[in-house]
Amino acid sequence: MSGLTPRPLTANYSGGTKVYDGTVTAVVTGSLSNRVAGDSVSATQTAEFTGSEARNVGSNKPVAVSSIALTGADAANYTLNNTSD
């Protein structure tokens, strides 16, 4: 009998609104594609504004999402298709 293969997930992120606080920490909203309905799995991540104007107020600023990790009771049943560190 062979073992089961973890189901691959894709993490998708979109940027949010943040009040200026002098840091490069960005607000993002994420979702996991290909998750089985009812499973308890979510993601944690780090998100930062990038570029020379990262600390300044502005719109449509680039954001880097890294250190994506799965959490939750069913997290061991999944792998991530896209991660960065």
Side-chain angles (χ1 to χ4, degrees), residues 1-80:
M1 179 180 232
S2 64
L4 297 175
T5 301
R7 186 179 184 104
L9 296 178
T10 300
N12 302 291
Y13 292 95
S14 60
T17 301
K18 176 185 171 182
V19 174
Y20 177 75
D21 65 1
T23 70
V24 296
T25 302
V27 175
V28 295
T29 301
S31 65
L32 296 171
S33 299
N34 200 33
R35 184 175 67 87
V36 173
D39 272 5
S40 175
V41 61
S42 58
T44 61
Q45 68 285 319
T46 300
E48 294 183 341
F49 293 109
T50 62
S52 61
E53 297 294 315
R55 294 189 188 279
N56 298 330
V57 172
S59 298
N60 300 316
K61 299 174 76 75
V63 174
V65 178
S66 62
S67 301
I68 303 168
L70 296 176
T71 62
D74 299 309
N77 296 325
Y78 295 92
T79 60
L80 280 171

